[in-house]
Amino acid sequence: MEFKHVSVLADEVIENLNIKSDGIYVDLTLGKGGHSKRILEKLSEKGRLIGLDQDQDALNAAKENLKDFTNATFIKSNFENIDQVLKDLGVDKIDGALMDIGVSSYQIDNGDRGFSYMNDGPLDMRMDTANELTAEKIINEYPKEELVRIFSEFGEERFSKTIARKIIETRDLYHIDTTFKLRELIQGSVRSKEAHPEKRVFQALRIEVNRELEVLENTLEKVVDSLNIDARLCVISFHSLEDRIVKNKFKDLEKDCICPPSLPVCVCNHKAKIKIVNKKPITASKKELEENSRSKSAKLRVCQRI
């Protein structure tokens, strides 16, 4: 299947990165390389683009898409390893970075990857297919309490207990190993007027399989620490859980003190590392919304190293 993915908020990202022609920039979620291509077009031969992705299919597509550029470096890695990646490349500081968080159009549309409730396929959902944990393993082996926690925390699903109980009952009868089996099970366990009441459970499973929120939480400050003074980090998120983490982390990194308000004096010795460029997230233009419906939920937050 061809790797198709339309980069969202591309104009806004390029505008906010303040690209220097001879700078070093990192695309932490390379995908097909749509954002990276726009960055590379702004760079001279002295500039450099480093692209990371944990999905080998994405890396292959990006290498093909960016084959005309000689100043791009491709790394198969989760972006939580950014500090080690830069160290291995001999790069001390960078001039800008981009994170386009979440699942790509290719991953959603490719039924074999198991991300979508719209396509029948194996219950996989791994962004890095070398990882051992799959959605199938979670559904068939996790205890009820863990299923409830995942659906509640990562999917904000109000019927978490009902769905988890139905999964436990069903897996005693047969192995739940496809997206459609899970979809039908969920649709049969809750009363809802929604066309796809299973969407929150699928989101929760994807987040658990790929440790998405944990990785995001662990990575943001690492990226900020790798930035040169005045360099910027652009982060695009697609649901409230991601956006909340980015928003709160940026707020913490902008403060000189993060002690609890109850303490009379500062004991944290925390110093502000960034300034927030846009207090409210940037969203897609009317034109982009018309051309790409998946940009509807996208939010771009930008910070600048100080």
Side-chain angles (χ1 to χ4, degrees):
M1 179 179 178
E2 182 184 356
F3 197 111
K4 293 182 178 180
H5 183 69
V6 178
S7 299
V8 302
L9 298 171
D11 290 340
E12 291 81 356
V13 166
I14 298 303
E15 178 183 348
N16 279 279
L17 277 177
N18 288 345
I19 296 171
K20 300 189 302 182
S21 63
D22 60 349
I24 301 175
Y25 294 85
V26 178
D27 187 340
L28 292 143
T29 48
L30 184 60
K32 189 178 179 180
H35 287 111
S36 285
K37 190 171 186 178
R38 295 285 298 273
I39 294 171
L40 284 162
E41 289 170 348
K42 295 277 187 177
L43 297 180
S44 66
E45 292 182 358
K46 293 182 179 179
R48 184 179 186 186
L49 184 284
I50 301 167
L52 280 67
D53 208 294
Q54 57 182 323
D55 188 329
Q56 188 60 53
D57 289 344
L59 281 174
N60 295 339
K63 288 177 181 179
E64 176 62 26
N65 189 33
L66 305 176
K67 62 184 179 183
D68 294 333
F69 298 94
T70 59
N71 51 348
T73 302
F74 305 96
I75 305 291
K76 184 180 186 298
S77 180
N78 189 303
F79 57 60
E80 70 176 328
N81 304 316
I82 179 58
D83 48 352
Q84 187 61 49
V85 168
L86 293 178
K87 182 179 179 180
D88 291 344
L89 292 173
V91 175
D92 182 31
K93 297 292 182 180
I94 60 176
D95 298 294
L98 161 70
M99 301 172 74
D100 182 1
I101 310 165
V103 65
S104 71
S105 300
Y106 164 80
Q107 290 166 331
I108 293 172
D109 295 337
N110 186 348
D112 291 339
R113 300 298 295 272
F115 284 97
S116 175
Y117 47 80
M118 297 298 290
N119 300 301
D120 197 14
L123 265 179
D124 194 317
M125 301 195 189
R126 292 174 295 174
M127 292 182 180
D128 183 350
T129 55
N131 290 339
E132 293 184 2
L133 184 62
T134 64
E136 179 182 350
K137 185 178 181 68
I138 293 170
I139 289 296
N140 289 282
E141 297 182 17
Y142 273 30
K144 178 183 174 182
E145 294 74 18
E146 275 297 283
L147 292 176
V148 171
R149 179 190 65 80
I150 292 166
F151 300 158
S152 298
E153 290 184 14
F154 300 156
E156 300 178 298
E157 173 55 67
R158 61 192 178 102
F159 296 116
S160 294
K161 292 182 179 179
T162 301
I163 295 170
R165 183 168 60 249
K166 184 66 173 179
I167 287 171
I168 299 298
E169 293 172 354
T170 303
R171 74 189 194 188
D172 285 339
L173 302 175
Y174 61 83
H175 194 67
I176 306 167
D177 57 359
T178 70
T179 53
F180 275 12
K181 283 181 183 178
L182 179 60
R183 185 180 79 172
E184 291 167 7
L185 182 158
I186 296 169
Q187 289 179 347
S189 64
V190 298
R191 292 183 178 180
S192 174
K193 295 181 179 180
E194 292 179 280
H196 293 287
E198 68 277 6
K199 63 184 179 182
R200 288 177 293 276
V201 169
F202 272 69
Q203 172 184 296
L205 287 169
R206 192 197 82 214
I207 290 173
E208 173 71 7
V209 167
N210 299 288
R211 301 170 40 246
E212 291 180 37
L213 302 186
E214 174 191 347
V215 169
L216 177 61
E217 181 79 43
N218 294 340
T219 303
L220 289 168
E221 190 164 3
K222 290 183 184 180
V223 180
V224 166
D225 287 341
S226 73
L227 296 174
N228 277 315
I229 302 303
D230 293 332
R232 289 184 171 186
L233 166 62
C234 294
V235 184
I236 302 171
S237 61
F238 288 87
H239 59 73
S240 60
L241 297 175
E242 295 170 339
D243 183 59
R244 192 177 306 134
I245 289 174
V246 178
K247 178 182 178 180
N248 291 338
K249 179 60 74 171
F250 279 11
K251 282 185 175 180
D252 285 345
L253 293 174
E254 192 181 39
K255 294 177 183 176
D256 273 330
C257 174
I258 56 173
C259 290
S262 58
L263 291 181
V265 295
C266 175
V267 297
C268 69
N269 297 316
H270 186 271
K271 296 296 181 183
K273 294 183 177 182
I274 65 167
K275 69 174 182 180
I276 297 174
V277 175
N278 57 322
K279 298 300 181 182
K280 292 185 178 181
I282 299 168
T283 56
S285 65
K286 182 179 179 181
K287 181 176 184 294
E288 182 169 6
L289 289 170
E290 291 172 350
E291 295 174 351
N292 180 14
S293 61
R294 285 176 177 167
S295 67
K296 182 178 180 181
S297 59
K299 293 181 178 180
L300 169 63
R301 295 187 184 272
V302 185
C303 71
Q304 182 170 314
R305 191 72 161 98
I306 59 174

